[in-house]
Amino acid sequence: MKDILNVKKAGSIFLLALIALSCKKTLDHPIGDGTPGDGALVPDITVDTSIKKIDVSKYAQARVFPGLVCATEPRLNNVHVLMNLNYNYVESNLHQSVPPQPLFSTGLYAAPGELVIIDVPGNYSLAVQIGAWTDNLSSVVNAPRDPVIFSKMQLAPGRNYIRNLYGGHIYINAARPVANPVDLVFTNVVKSPDFILGVTSNADWQAAINNSCVPWLELRSKNMIFTVPRDYCVAHPIADPTALMQEWDDAINLDYYQWEGLSATPADSFDLAPLLPWRVVQDIKPVVGYGHSGYPVVTQNDYGWFNEFTDITQIRGGGCWGTLHELGHNNQQTRYWSWTSLGETSNNLFSFKVAHRHETTNPAAWPPSHPALPTDFPKALDFADAPGTKNFDGSDSRINTPFARLVPFVQIFDKVKANKFYPGQPGGWEFMGFLYSKARHATRISQNDQDCRDFFFEAICDFTHVNWIYFFNAWGIQVSNISSNKMKLKYPVVMNQKIWEYNPLTRTGGDDTFSTDPYDRSNWSITASSEEALGSEPDPSGPAQAAIDGDINSYWHSDYDVFQPFPYTLTIDMGSSLPINGFKIIQRQMQRRDIKNIKIETSTNGTSWTVVSGSPFALAQSDALQELTIPLTTCRYFRLSVLSAADLYDTDCPCACLAEIDVKHP
């Protein structure tokens, strides 16, 4: 045992010696280990601090984009900028796709390849960024500019040096809010001819852009900043930049922040606005498409986008769809209520809010201008009004566009009036703030699209204190049985107005009411695998709808112009899960084509079916009401099937008819 211990001890000593030697290993190649003096302390490190030296290695590329700064533009030294870096750190509370970021403009510009010196008075955890064009174009074939043209560096206390080969605006990023203003000193910079709302006069700004050769400038307000070419501002003068930027400031404040239930002084910290501006930057080539969301929003560098930003009549007249669209993407709550098929839909709701606010002074602002609305809205209304089981998220051409899917949301906003369902109930436009706040306060994210749909359904029920199940059924927005039953218990009163018929473009319709009796067949929908259309049979007979219209003299008739294959099925959607204990059937009156045997199935979701005990049922060849009793069950859908010609009384023609279908219930 002693020998074994000695061996172990010797092995440990050898291992320690090996580790020590490995740290002193001589390299087989003449390359140092990357530290000055092989790791020894040295008195200083050489840094390029020559202002006179200009790195022109990327001048050719910078000349193409973003442009050079002429030599006659004054380079400014020891410029003190008192930076207000305070903001509300609420990113994690907003629960939205892209929150605004703490990137602060200095009003200064770095010329391409020229050294910029920044003196920082203390340790504030700040970073400097040069250049607004943060898209990486590495994936773009034949990109018109170098892939990465911005630079970013952490700032240390004392003197800092940074050089960007392409040039651009100088920004300060504050990872955390700084309570008191910070006095930063900049050297070897040029002044950007920015317009700042409340600081710059229209006349002074016009003179500044005419006398500057800085290629880019910013239009700034508290809540919105545009980075645009100076040449555009000279060639296409902005008549009143003060009014323009005030308009954009109001749009972000009123139609995004406040509409979402955010404010600077809320009662609840979850509803605190970030107090940071959104940014929109024009670039020679956005990395995706003609423009994309993010921080910043990036658009193509052309007059189409520039005019949308700077023509005040557009935002006051229901325009600016593209800009509001991309900002809307940033504000989507995709993990809570905006489900997958709403990806290009819920972001457009803000265009309607801006238009709604402006229509009081400019009626032409409503509806917001987009060429798809006059076509897609009527198609969507036709979809909602159609009988049968529908799928809002499906491929039906009437609903399968981002603009058609806007309709139910705009109906809620524009049609639900204050005090409609209970005293003190807000109007529909207030629902957005309720919905967003509910998402901000959610304790968990929605795990899937069904969770999102249920979240939205429960939100509108909670907002109005009534059950909206029939509205959701009309639109084919699927609500789970769990959520449906929860709201049925919480709000037994059902919203009984056909708001799904309201046309927001013309502001007509949607006033009719319906029975709230869940067993009332006027609220049901029915589809058939084979039905004779109107024309061949006396109106209103032929279609499946005739079997639930309450008239025993009308009837459903299977198609006999083009015989469909068996089974013939009739599928009924009662609109909600209901307890039933049987069925009532009336055959076609007087004339025959009676059904001999019928199979009946039930379902809670319309996809998984359970055969009813005792099925198939034998039916008498009679004009009288026939009742089929079954064990008590709860279902939303039921399906009747004629399996073959042998299940018909008249075998000479494989046709089936039924006058009426109903259920028995407790």
Side-chain angles (χ1 to χ4, degrees):
M1 176 63 72
K2 183 177 181 180
D3 292 339
I4 294 174
L5 292 175
N6 288 335
V7 170
K8 289 184 176 180
K9 182 177 181 181
S12 299
I13 294 171
F14 175 77
L15 180 60
L16 291 171
L18 182 63
I19 293 172
L21 287 173
S22 67
C23 296
K24 299 291 185 178
K25 182 177 179 180
T26 301
L27 301 176
D28 295 331
H29 49 77
I31 300 176
D33 66 2
T35 60
D38 292 327
L41 294 176
V42 292
D44 55 44
I45 298 175
T46 301
V47 177
D48 175 12
T49 60
S50 174
I51 290 179
K52 293 182 179 180
K53 177 184 175 182
I54 301 175
D55 188 338
V56 299
S57 60
K58 287 292 184 179
Y59 256 34
Q61 292 86 344
R63 188 186 306 275
V64 174
F65 190 88
L68 301 179
V69 177
C70 58
T72 57
E73 186 72 31
R75 271 56 174 177
L76 307 176
N77 298 321
N78 297 316
V79 179
H80 287 257
V81 180
L82 193 62
M83 301 288 297
N84 180 6
L85 305 176
N86 202 7
Y87 60 95
N88 292 333
Y89 187 71
V90 294
E91 179 175 324
S92 60
N93 291 346
L94 295 178
H95 293 180
Q96 64 190 53
S97 297
V98 180
Q101 298 298 308
L103 190 69
F104 297 88
S105 298
T106 63
L108 303 173
Y109 197 93
E114 298 186 20
L115 186 73
V116 171
I117 301 174
I118 307 173
D119 291 316
V120 181
N123 189 2
Y124 291 100
S125 187
L126 305 178
V128 59
Q129 176 180 312
I130 295 181
W133 310 278
T134 53
D135 270 6
N136 185 336
L137 303 189
S138 298
S139 61
V140 177
V141 178
N142 298 323
R145 66 162 172 81
D146 278 358
V148 178
I149 63 173
F150 80 104
S151 54
K152 196 169 184 179
M153 184 184 79
Q154 195 71 19
L155 292 174
R159 178 149 290 190
N160 298 263
Y161 304 90
I162 186 169
R163 189 189 303 269
N164 182 284
L165 301 183
Y166 307 89
H169 284 100
I170 302 171
Y171 302 99
I172 299 299
N173 180 274
R176 289 293 187 272
V178 181
N180 298 314
V182 179
D183 184 19
L184 300 179
V185 183
F186 297 83
T187 295
N188 201 35
V189 294
V190 296
K191 182 173 176 56
S192 175
D194 297 347
F195 176 86
I196 307 172
L197 182 65
V199 175
T200 316
S201 71
N202 293 354
D204 287 347
W205 181 67
Q206 192 62 52
I209 63 175
N210 289 333
N211 295 325
S212 174
C213 72
V214 176
W216 291 79
L217 59 83
E218 292 190 328
L219 304 171
R220 288 195 261 157
S221 73
K222 178 181 177 181
N223 296 312
M224 176 63 99
I225 298 176
F226 294 102
T227 304
V228 298
R230 183 186 58 83
D231 287 349
Y232 284 12
C233 297
V234 174
H236 287 227
I238 302 172
D240 188 349
T242 297
L244 173 72
M245 293 313 296
Q246 184 63 60
E247 196 63 67
W248 278 108
D249 203 57
D250 290 344
I252 301 303
N253 181 37
L254 301 174
D255 305 321
Y256 285 84
Y257 288 157
Q258 287 193 29
W259 198 36
E260 295 167 347
L262 298 170
S263 76
T265 56
D268 190 313
S269 61
F270 274 85
D271 300 326
L272 186 65
L275 300 184
L276 289 169
W278 290 106
R279 292 181 177 271
V280 180
V281 173
Q282 292 195 269
D283 199 334
I284 193 170
K285 177 66 179 77
V287 70
V288 179
Y290 186 50
H292 66 77
S293 59
Y295 197 89
V297 169
V298 178
T299 74
Q300 188 76 33
N301 182 29
D302 62 22
Y303 278 117
W305 280 106
F306 177 80
N307 290 337
E308 182 174 293
F309 307 153
T310 59
D311 182 357
I312 197 170
T313 62
Q314 289 204 41
I315 192 169
R316 288 178 174 174
C320 299
W321 187 281
T323 309
L324 300 176
H325 170 100
E326 300 301 351
L327 291 171
H329 272 308
N330 289 346
N331 284 265
Q332 286 175 304
Q333 292 181 318
T334 54
R335 297 192 300 169
Y336 296 89
W337 64 268
S338 185
W339 57 94
T340 301
S341 70
L342 300 179
E344 294 294 331
T345 295
S346 59
N347 60 311
N348 290 320
L349 296 174
F350 299 93
S351 292
F352 287 86
K353 175 60 173 66
V354 175
H356 171 67
R357 177 169 59 86
H358 279 292
E359 68 172 323
T360 55
T361 55
N362 180 19
W366 184 270
S369 57
H370 193 285
L373 301 186
T375 300
D376 287 11
F377 269 44
K379 289 181 179 179
L381 292 170
D382 180 64
F383 173 85
D385 199 43
T389 302
K390 292 165 284 188
N391 183 1
F392 180 82
D393 306 306
S395 59
D396 190 309
S397 61
R398 295 172 297 178
I399 196 64
N400 191 21
T401 72
F403 310 101
R405 292 192 173 113
L406 284 165
V407 179
F409 299 93
V410 183
Q411 287 176 330
I412 290 173
F413 298 148
D414 206 48
K415 188 62 174 175
V416 176
K417 303 304 179 185
N419 306 307
K420 169 66 180 176
F421 299 106
Y422 67 90
Q425 172 233 300
W429 289 100
E430 304 302 315
F431 174 58
M432 195 71 152
F434 181 90
L435 177 63
Y436 265 73
S437 183
K438 183 179 175 72
R440 287 193 295 271
H441 287 78
T443 56
R444 63 179 181 84
I445 64 172
S446 295
Q447 299 296 319
N448 49 51
D449 279 352
Q450 189 55 62
D451 282 353
C452 288
R453 288 188 286 264
D454 287 350
F455 190 100
F456 185 81
F457 170 66
E458 293 180 20
I460 186 61
C461 292
D462 287 337
F463 179 75
T464 57
H465 294 185
V466 294
N467 193 326
W468 280 68
I469 190 64
Y470 287 106
F471 179 87
F472 279 68
N473 291 342
W475 279 109
I477 302 174
Q478 302 300 315
V479 177
S480 72
N481 286 333
I482 294 174
S483 186
S484 176
N485 292 332
K486 177 181 175 182
M487 292 298 101
K488 187 185 297 184
L489 291 173
K490 191 172 183 180
Y491 304 111
V493 176
V494 176
M495 193 277 290
N496 69 335
Q497 185 177 345
K498 294 183 178 180
I499 291 178
W500 61 83
E501 295 180 348
Y502 176 69
N503 186 336
L505 303 185
T506 61
R507 288 187 160 139
T508 57
D511 296 316
D512 291 342
T513 59
F514 59 92
S515 171
T516 58
D517 178 2
Y519 295 99
D520 188 328
R521 290 182 297 165
S522 65
N523 299 327
W524 295 6
S525 61
I526 183 171
T527 55
S529 63
S530 174
E531 64 179 359
E532 185 59 38
L534 289 173
S536 298
E537 294 295 314
D539 187 14
S541 297
Q545 188 66 27
I548 59 171
D549 64 359
D551 182 0
I552 64 171
N553 294 310
S554 66
Y555 51 88
W556 158 73
H557 197 302
S558 64
D559 191 356
Y560 52 83
D561 289 330
V562 179
F563 289 112
Q564 303 299 317
F566 285 97
Y568 298 157
T569 61
L570 291 168
T571 304
I572 293 88
D573 177 5
M574 297 186 292
S576 61
S577 292
L578 301 171
I580 63 173
N581 56 10
F583 300 92
K584 302 175 183 179
I585 295 177
I586 300 178
Q587 302 264 30
R588 180 183 177 184
Q589 301 296 288
M590 303 299 291
Q591 298 170 308
R592 301 278 50 104
R593 303 288 188 249
D594 291 341
I595 297 172
K596 188 175 184 179
N597 299 299
I598 195 161
K599 177 183 177 181
I600 304 180
E601 301 163 278
T602 60
S603 173
T604 58
N605 56 20
T607 55
S608 301
W609 295 90
T610 301
V611 178
V612 172
S613 177
S615 188
F617 296 94
L619 298 179
Q621 193 171 26
S622 167
D623 291 346
L625 170 67
Q626 302 182 57
E627 295 191 3
L628 309 175
T629 301
I630 65 169
L632 182 66
T633 187
T634 298
C635 65
R636 171 173 170 173
Y637 306 86
F638 63 92
R639 182 167 68 189
L640 290 73
S641 302
V642 179
L643 301 180
S644 68
D647 294 303
L648 300 170
Y649 277 103
D650 298 331
T651 58
D652 60 324
C653 175
C655 296
C657 295
L658 274 179
E660 290 295 310
I661 305 164
D662 202 349
V663 295
K664 298 171 60 179
H665 59 87

